[in-house]
Amino acid sequence: MVGHGLFSLIFTKRIPLSCATLTLGCFSLSFQMLESSSVLLFIVFVLLFILLLFVVLIRKNGTAALIWNEIIREKITNFIMNQSKEQRILNFVLQNAVRGDPCSVLDTIDQYCSQKEWAMNVGNEKGLILDKTVEEANPSVALELGTYCGYSAVRIARVLKAGAHLLTVEFNPEFAAIAKQMIEFAGVQDKVKLLEGPSEEIIPQLKKKYEVDTVDFVFLDHWKDRYTPDTILLQVSLRSVCMVTNQNTSPKNILILGAGET
Protein backbone atom coordinates (compact mmCIF):
# COMPACT_ATOMS: atom_id res chain seq x y z
CA MET A 1 0.00 0.00 0.00
CA VAL A 2 1.66 3.19 -1.18
CA GLY A 3 -0.18 5.52 1.16
CA HIS A 4 0.40 3.39 4.30
CA GLY A 5 4.12 2.91 3.54
CA LEU A 6 4.58 6.62 2.93
CA PHE A 7 3.00 7.62 6.23
CA SER A 8 5.13 4.98 8.03
CA LEU A 9 8.23 6.59 6.57
CA ILE A 10 7.09 9.98 7.75
CA PHE A 11 6.64 8.94 11.38
CA THR A 12 9.34 6.23 11.77
CA LYS A 13 12.16 7.72 9.73
CA ARG A 14 11.23 11.33 10.46
CA ILE A 15 11.28 12.47 6.81
CA PRO A 16 10.56 16.21 6.68
CA LEU A 17 6.86 16.97 6.26
CA SER A 18 7.51 19.25 3.24
CA CYS A 19 9.14 16.36 1.36
CA ALA A 20 6.22 14.07 2.08
CA THR A 21 3.77 16.73 0.94
CA LEU A 22 5.69 17.14 -2.32
CA THR A 23 5.62 13.39 -2.91
CA LEU A 24 1.88 13.25 -2.33
CA GLY A 25 1.44 16.20 -4.68
CA CYS A 26 3.38 14.40 -7.41
CA PHE A 27 1.18 11.32 -7.06
CA SER A 28 -1.93 13.47 -7.19
CA LEU A 29 -0.70 15.35 -10.25
CA SER A 30 0.20 12.11 -12.02
CA PHE A 31 -3.26 10.72 -11.34
CA GLN A 32 -4.91 13.91 -12.65
CA MET A 33 -2.77 13.81 -15.80
CA LEU A 34 -3.67 10.17 -16.35
CA GLU A 35 -7.33 10.98 -15.86
CA SER A 36 -7.08 13.96 -18.24
CA SER A 37 -5.34 11.80 -20.86
CA SER A 38 -8.12 9.23 -20.64
CA VAL A 39 -10.75 11.92 -21.14
CA LEU A 40 -8.80 13.37 -24.08
CA LEU A 41 -8.45 9.94 -25.69
CA PHE A 42 -12.18 9.36 -25.26
CA ILE A 43 -12.99 12.69 -26.92
CA VAL A 44 -10.63 11.91 -29.81
CA PHE A 45 -12.22 8.49 -30.23
CA VAL A 46 -15.73 9.98 -30.28
CA LEU A 47 -14.71 12.62 -32.84
CA LEU A 48 -13.08 9.98 -35.06
CA PHE A 49 -16.21 7.85 -34.82
CA ILE A 50 -18.41 10.81 -35.79
CA LEU A 51 -16.08 11.59 -38.67
CA LEU A 52 -16.25 7.98 -39.86
CA LEU A 53 -20.04 8.05 -39.74
CA PHE A 54 -20.07 11.31 -41.71
CA VAL A 55 -17.76 9.84 -44.38
CA VAL A 56 -20.10 6.86 -44.74
CA LEU A 57 -23.08 9.21 -45.00
CA ILE A 58 -21.35 11.29 -47.67
CA ARG A 59 -20.74 8.17 -49.75
CA LYS A 60 -24.22 6.73 -49.27
CA ASN A 61 -26.43 9.80 -48.97
CA GLY A 62 -26.72 12.46 -51.66
CA THR A 63 -27.95 15.14 -49.25
CA ALA A 64 -25.02 14.60 -46.89
CA ALA A 65 -22.63 14.75 -49.84
CA LEU A 66 -24.21 18.01 -50.98
CA ILE A 67 -23.93 19.51 -47.48
CA TRP A 68 -20.27 18.50 -47.27
CA ASN A 69 -19.29 19.67 -50.76
CA GLU A 70 -21.40 22.81 -51.01
CA ILE A 71 -21.36 24.11 -47.43
CA ILE A 72 -18.60 22.72 -45.23
CA ARG A 73 -15.76 21.84 -47.59
CA GLU A 74 -16.37 24.73 -49.97
CA LYS A 75 -16.54 27.35 -47.19
CA ILE A 76 -13.32 26.07 -45.64
CA THR A 77 -11.51 26.07 -49.00
CA ASN A 78 -12.84 29.53 -49.87
CA PHE A 79 -11.54 30.88 -46.56
CA ILE A 80 -8.11 29.29 -46.95
CA MET A 81 -7.63 30.28 -50.61
CA ASN A 82 -9.49 33.60 -50.35
CA GLN A 83 -11.44 32.96 -53.57
CA SER A 84 -14.66 31.24 -54.60
CA LYS A 85 -14.93 27.78 -56.12
CA GLU A 86 -16.20 29.32 -59.34
CA GLN A 87 -13.10 31.52 -59.57
CA ARG A 88 -10.93 28.44 -59.02
CA ILE A 89 -12.70 26.65 -61.88
CA LEU A 90 -12.12 29.64 -64.18
CA ASN A 91 -8.45 29.89 -63.20
CA PHE A 92 -7.98 26.17 -63.87
CA VAL A 93 -9.51 26.58 -67.34
CA LEU A 94 -7.40 29.65 -68.15
CA GLN A 95 -4.26 27.77 -67.14
CA ASN A 96 -4.98 24.39 -68.73
CA ALA A 97 -7.48 24.67 -71.60
CA VAL A 98 -6.83 25.77 -75.17
CA ARG A 99 -8.12 29.28 -75.91
CA GLY A 100 -10.75 29.31 -78.62
CA ASP A 101 -11.45 25.58 -78.33
CA PRO A 102 -14.89 24.94 -76.73
CA CYS A 103 -14.30 21.19 -76.39
CA SER A 104 -11.02 21.80 -74.57
CA VAL A 105 -12.78 24.18 -72.18
CA LEU A 106 -15.55 21.64 -71.47
CA ASP A 107 -13.06 18.80 -70.95
CA THR A 108 -11.01 20.96 -68.57
CA ILE A 109 -14.07 21.89 -66.49
CA ASP A 110 -15.10 18.23 -66.35
CA GLN A 111 -11.57 17.32 -65.26
CA TYR A 112 -11.60 19.89 -62.46
CA CYS A 113 -15.04 18.86 -61.19
CA SER A 114 -14.23 15.14 -61.23
CA GLN A 115 -10.77 15.40 -59.68
CA LYS A 116 -10.84 18.48 -57.45
CA GLU A 117 -14.23 19.94 -56.51
CA TRP A 118 -17.81 19.02 -57.31
CA ALA A 119 -19.77 21.75 -59.11
CA MET A 120 -23.26 22.28 -60.50
CA ASN A 121 -22.38 21.55 -64.11
CA VAL A 122 -24.26 19.36 -66.55
CA GLY A 123 -21.21 17.13 -66.97
CA ASN A 124 -20.27 15.05 -69.98
CA GLU A 125 -22.75 12.19 -69.48
CA LYS A 126 -25.86 14.37 -69.46
CA GLY A 127 -24.08 16.82 -71.73
CA LEU A 128 -24.12 14.28 -74.56
CA ILE A 129 -27.91 14.07 -74.23
CA LEU A 130 -28.09 17.85 -74.26
CA ASP A 131 -25.92 17.97 -77.40
CA LYS A 132 -28.20 15.53 -79.22
CA THR A 133 -31.33 17.40 -78.15
CA VAL A 134 -29.99 20.73 -79.38
CA GLU A 135 -28.94 19.22 -82.69
CA GLU A 136 -32.36 17.62 -83.16
CA ALA A 137 -34.18 20.84 -82.25
CA ASN A 138 -31.86 22.79 -84.60
CA PRO A 139 -32.89 26.13 -83.03
CA SER A 140 -32.29 29.56 -84.48
CA VAL A 141 -32.76 31.12 -81.04
CA ALA A 142 -32.04 29.17 -77.87
CA LEU A 143 -32.54 30.23 -74.25
CA GLU A 144 -30.80 28.98 -71.14
CA LEU A 145 -31.98 29.82 -67.62
CA GLY A 146 -29.08 29.47 -65.18
CA THR A 147 -25.66 30.18 -66.67
CA TYR A 148 -23.53 29.46 -63.60
CA CYS A 149 -19.90 29.23 -64.83
CA GLY A 150 -20.87 29.00 -68.51
CA TYR A 151 -20.37 25.25 -69.03
CA SER A 152 -23.72 24.49 -70.67
CA ALA A 153 -23.71 27.82 -72.54
CA VAL A 154 -20.42 26.82 -74.19
CA ARG A 155 -21.77 23.32 -74.76
CA ILE A 156 -24.94 24.55 -76.49
CA ALA A 157 -23.22 27.30 -78.48
CA ARG A 158 -20.67 24.96 -80.03
CA VAL A 159 -23.39 22.83 -81.69
CA LEU A 160 -25.65 25.66 -82.87
CA LYS A 161 -26.03 26.05 -86.61
CA ALA A 162 -24.54 29.03 -88.42
CA GLY A 163 -26.45 32.22 -87.69
CA ALA A 164 -28.13 30.82 -84.56
CA HIS A 165 -27.54 32.29 -81.12
CA LEU A 166 -28.10 31.56 -77.44
CA LEU A 167 -29.50 33.84 -74.73
CA THR A 168 -28.35 32.73 -71.29
CA VAL A 169 -29.76 34.19 -68.05
CA GLU A 170 -27.88 34.39 -64.74
CA PHE A 171 -29.07 36.34 -61.68
CA ASN A 172 -25.82 36.06 -59.65
CA PRO A 173 -23.40 38.87 -60.64
CA GLU A 174 -20.30 36.88 -59.60
CA PHE A 175 -21.33 33.86 -61.66
CA ALA A 176 -22.25 36.08 -64.60
CA ALA A 177 -18.80 37.72 -64.59
CA ILE A 178 -17.06 34.34 -64.50
CA ALA A 179 -19.34 32.88 -67.20
CA LYS A 180 -18.61 35.87 -69.47
CA GLN A 181 -14.86 35.19 -69.24
CA MET A 182 -15.42 31.46 -69.77
CA ILE A 183 -17.55 32.06 -72.88
CA GLU A 184 -15.02 34.48 -74.34
CA PHE A 185 -12.11 32.13 -73.62
CA ALA A 186 -13.97 29.30 -75.38
CA GLY A 187 -14.39 31.55 -78.42
CA VAL A 188 -18.21 31.35 -78.63
CA GLN A 189 -18.99 34.91 -77.55
CA ASP A 190 -20.42 35.75 -81.00
CA LYS A 191 -23.11 33.11 -80.49
CA VAL A 192 -23.93 33.82 -76.84
CA LYS A 193 -25.58 36.82 -75.21
CA LEU A 194 -25.49 36.80 -71.41
CA LEU A 195 -28.41 38.50 -69.66
CA GLU A 196 -27.87 39.31 -65.99
CA GLY A 197 -30.88 39.35 -63.69
CA PRO A 198 -33.73 37.21 -62.28
CA SER A 199 -35.46 34.99 -64.84
CA GLU A 200 -38.92 36.17 -63.73
CA GLU A 201 -37.94 39.73 -64.70
CA ILE A 202 -36.05 38.97 -67.92
CA ILE A 203 -38.51 36.55 -69.56
CA PRO A 204 -41.37 39.11 -69.82
CA GLN A 205 -38.87 41.61 -71.33
CA LEU A 206 -37.60 39.30 -74.07
CA LYS A 207 -39.83 40.79 -76.75
CA LYS A 208 -39.61 44.50 -76.03
CA LYS A 209 -36.12 44.86 -74.55
CA TYR A 210 -34.25 42.09 -76.37
CA GLU A 211 -36.38 41.90 -79.54
CA VAL A 212 -36.94 38.17 -79.22
CA ASP A 213 -40.26 37.08 -80.69
CA THR A 214 -39.75 33.30 -80.71
CA VAL A 215 -37.45 30.91 -78.87
CA ASP A 216 -37.02 27.45 -80.40
CA PHE A 217 -35.21 25.78 -77.52
CA VAL A 218 -35.05 26.39 -73.75
CA PHE A 219 -32.72 24.74 -71.27
CA LEU A 220 -33.86 25.03 -67.64
CA ASP A 221 -30.72 24.88 -65.53
CA HIS A 222 -31.50 27.25 -62.66
CA TRP A 223 -33.45 26.90 -59.40
CA LYS A 224 -35.85 23.97 -59.44
CA ASP A 225 -38.62 25.95 -57.73
CA ARG A 226 -38.55 28.35 -60.71
CA TYR A 227 -39.20 25.65 -63.33
CA THR A 228 -43.00 25.77 -63.21
CA PRO A 229 -43.50 29.56 -62.92
CA ASP A 230 -40.86 30.26 -65.59
CA THR A 231 -42.41 27.67 -67.89
CA ILE A 232 -45.73 29.48 -67.55
CA LEU A 233 -44.03 32.82 -68.26
CA LEU A 234 -42.42 31.34 -71.37
CA GLN A 235 -45.72 29.95 -72.62
CA VAL A 236 -47.31 33.37 -72.20
CA SER A 237 -44.38 35.35 -73.63
CA LEU A 238 -43.17 33.16 -76.50
CA ARG A 239 -44.74 31.24 -79.37
CA SER A 240 -43.17 27.79 -79.22
CA VAL A 241 -40.28 26.10 -77.47
CA CYS A 242 -38.58 22.75 -77.01
CA MET A 243 -37.73 22.65 -73.32
CA VAL A 244 -35.17 20.58 -71.43
CA THR A 245 -34.44 20.44 -67.69
CA ASN A 246 -31.17 19.58 -65.98
CA GLN A 247 -32.73 17.25 -63.42
CA ASN A 248 -31.56 13.75 -64.43
CA THR A 249 -31.76 14.86 -68.04
CA SER A 250 -33.19 12.09 -70.22
CA PRO A 251 -35.72 11.87 -73.06
CA LYS A 252 -38.59 11.84 -70.57
CA ASN A 253 -37.48 15.26 -69.29
CA ILE A 254 -37.91 16.85 -72.70
CA LEU A 255 -41.11 18.86 -72.90
CA ILE A 256 -42.49 19.82 -76.31
CA LEU A 257 -44.82 22.77 -75.85
CA GLY A 258 -47.39 23.35 -78.53
CA ALA A 259 -47.47 26.61 -80.45
CA GLY A 260 -49.48 29.27 -78.71
CA GLU A 261 -50.54 32.71 -79.79
CA THR A 262 -49.09 35.73 -77.99
Side-chain angles (χ1 to χ4, degrees):
M1 300 289 287
V2 174
H4 182 270
L6 182 59
F7 283 110
S8 296
L9 282 172
I10 293 173
F11 291 106
T12 59
K13 302 296 183 181
R14 301 183 182 277
I15 296 176
L17 185 60
S18 59
C19 183
T21 304
L22 179 62
T23 305
L24 284 172
C26 288
F27 276 113
S28 176
L29 181 61
S30 298
F31 180 77
Q32 289 177 3
M33 290 177 64
L34 183 61
E35 188 177 37
S36 299
S37 298
S38 299
V39 172
L40 183 61
L41 285 173
F42 177 75
I43 293 173
V44 170
F45 175 79
V46 170
L47 290 175
L48 287 174
F49 181 73
I50 293 173
L51 181 60
L52 180 61
L53 283 179
F54 193 67
V55 169
V56 173
L57 276 174
I58 289 173
R59 292 185 176 182
K60 300 291 184 180
N61 186 284
T63 302
L66 186 64
I67 292 172
W68 168 253
N69 286 309
E70 287 298 296
I71 300 178
I72 302 174
R73 179 182 173 185
E74 182 180 339
K75 299 302 181 186
I76 293 173
T77 308
N78 290 353
F79 177 77
I80 294 173
M81 301 189 70
N82 194 31
Q83 62 178 193
S84 68
K85 175 175 64 178
E86 293 72 28
Q87 186 62 53
R88 292 192 291 276
I89 294 174
L90 175 62
N91 291 343
F92 188 78
V93 169
L94 297 179
Q95 293 167 10
N96 296 279
V98 178
R99 178 181 289 275
D101 185 343
C103 291
S104 175
V105 169
L106 295 175
D107 290 343
T108 305
I109 296 175
D110 285 334
Q111 179 186 349
Y112 185 92
C113 295
S114 64
Q115 297 179 3
K116 296 182 180 294
E117 293 183 272
W118 179 88
M120 298 182 295
N121 291 316
V122 175
N124 190 58
E125 184 178 347
K126 290 192 288 184
L128 293 173
I129 299 174
L130 178 61
D131 293 347
K132 183 179 179 181
T133 307
V134 175
E135 290 170 347
E136 289 176 350
N138 194 29
S140 295
V141 181
L143 174 67
E144 175 189 35
L145 302 181
T147 315
Y148 190 45
C149 291
Y151 179 94
S152 49
V154 171
R155 185 142 207 149
I156 293 171
R158 87 191 202 292
V159 296
L160 289 177
K161 64 185 178 182
H165 65 279
L166 168 71
L167 301 173
T168 181
V169 180
E170 176 54 56
F171 84 99
N172 186 309
E174 180 189 354
F175 295 168
I178 288 171
K180 185 175 184 295
Q181 294 180 69
M182 194 78 75
I183 291 165
E184 290 176 352
F185 186 83
V188 294
Q189 66 272 18
D190 292 340
K191 289 187 173 184
V192 180
K193 184 177 180 62
L194 197 156
L195 310 178
E196 186 179 328
S199 56
E200 62 269 28
E201 294 180 8
I202 289 180
I203 291 173
Q205 299 176 6
L206 286 174
K207 273 192 175 182
K208 290 185 178 181
K209 188 172 181 179
Y210 301 105
E211 299 179 347
V212 176
D213 184 57
T214 302
V215 168
D216 311 302
F217 178 91
V218 177
F219 182 44
L220 302 181
D221 195 18
H222 57 339
W223 294 107
K224 197 173 182 180
D225 59 0
R226 289 299 313 168
Y227 283 9
T228 298
D230 283 347
T231 298
I232 294 172
L233 278 176
L234 286 166
Q235 288 177 301
V236 170
S237 303
L238 305 174
R239 290 184 178 176
S240 62
V241 297
C242 167
M243 191 172 301
V244 182
T245 74
N246 184 24
Q247 297 297 314
N248 299 317
T249 302
S250 64
K252 69 180 180 180
N253 293 118
I254 299 172
L255 309 176
I256 307 298
L257 304 183
E261 295 302 321
T262 57

